[in-house]
Amino acid sequence: MYEERRSARVPAVVWSLTAGVRQQRVLPDGCTDLIWDGTELVVAGPDTRAHLPAARPGTRYTALRFPPGTGPDVFRVPARELRDRRLPLAALRPAAEIRRLAERAAEAADPAGVLERAAAEALRGADPADPRRAAVVAGLRAGLPVAEVAGRTGLGARGLHRLSLAAFGYGPKTLARILRMNRALDLARAGRPLAETAVLAGYTDQAHLTRDVRTLTGLPPTRLLAPPPSG
């Protein structure tokens, strides 16, 4: 069963999941996650394609999902170094520090609270966030062309690309595709027909939407949105 809530301590979504027999498909969303699997703290970087984790049924996961551009401030590494990767948090921070954090998570009735406090402490010690990151995400999420976003932020094409690699893990065109796909899937889940969804999300047509979703997730939207088999 999957559950989520917005954190009151840090800019993140707190989520939990007990793995079942059916494999979960993790879709690219531009986010970075800090995951506690009961024994280890793992960082999941921003994906360019769907990820199919090898989860043992019954494993309980508790995690924080940081929105695009926030992960580098928490983990103190450029997002491009985390792209399409799952790695132990101890590979990024001092091993003794992470061992103590894992011990607290293991002993806590609410591991999410332990993760939230650790993330809040990391963010307090980080440099002030570059406000252009939020402007880039807002512009791309609104469907603005990359060139217009570059102009509005005063970065220029090369500057926007450098900032995007460091903050989001990939260039602005890839981030725009991922944000557009997630908007389309949200519209479709809310009951919009796919043809209407394609127009509202900024695709040329439904065929364009289908191709892009298949490329990014490995499945066409009809299969991706189908309810899981019962039993």
Side-chain angles (χ1 to χ4, degrees):
M1 181 178 178
Y2 176 83
E3 298 177 321
E4 69 174 41
R5 63 172 172 82
R6 189 158 297 280
S7 172
R9 293 187 175 121
V10 290
V13 168
V14 180
W15 62 266
S16 60
L17 170 71
T18 300
V21 175
R22 185 169 180 264
Q23 192 174 38
Q24 298 286 328
R25 184 176 296 263
V26 180
L27 305 186
D29 56 9
C31 299
T32 307
D33 294 60
L34 173 61
I35 304 170
W36 168 246
D37 65 4
T39 58
E40 186 178 31
L41 290 158
V42 175
V43 177
D47 292 321
T48 57
R49 296 291 186 273
H51 176 68
L52 295 170
R56 188 175 68 255
T59 301
R60 179 70 173 175
Y61 296 93
T62 303
L64 303 181
R65 180 184 303 119
F66 300 99
T70 306
D73 293 334
V74 177
F75 302 115
R76 310 291 175 84
V77 294
R80 64 177 175 271
E81 296 184 15
L82 304 174
R83 182 178 59 233
D84 291 323
R85 298 181 69 189
R86 271 57 179 170
L87 69 164
L89 181 59
L92 304 176
R93 304 289 289 273
E97 172 190 332
I98 302 311
R99 185 169 56 251
R100 290 192 296 270
L101 180 60
E103 289 171 354
R104 292 199 297 272
E107 295 168 357
D110 177 24
V114 175
L115 302 189
E116 288 177 282
R117 287 190 291 274
E121 183 178 345
L123 288 170
R124 278 195 298 271
D127 294 332
D130 187 337
R132 294 175 298 182
R133 296 182 198 171
V136 169
V137 173
L140 295 177
R141 188 168 276 148
L144 297 180
V146 169
E148 185 173 344
V149 173
R152 288 190 176 200
T153 53
L155 286 163
R158 291 184 180 180
L160 175 59
H161 192 75
R162 286 194 298 269
L163 180 142
S164 295
L165 288 177
F168 312 121
Y170 23 66
K173 289 184 179 180
T174 299
L175 178 61
R177 284 182 68 202
I178 288 170
L179 294 175
R180 180 177 61 181
M181 180 196 71
N182 279 277
R183 179 167 183 249
L185 293 176
D186 286 343
L187 289 168
R189 291 186 186 107
R192 299 274 192 177
L194 286 178
E196 182 182 353
T197 289
V199 173
L200 291 174
Y203 292 92
T204 304
D205 52 26
Q206 185 176 336
H208 182 199
L209 165 65
T210 297
R211 287 194 304 273
D212 216 41
V213 170
R214 188 194 295 272
T215 298
L216 291 169
T217 72
L219 293 175
T222 49
R223 284 189 59 194
L224 196 64
L225 297 165
S230 59

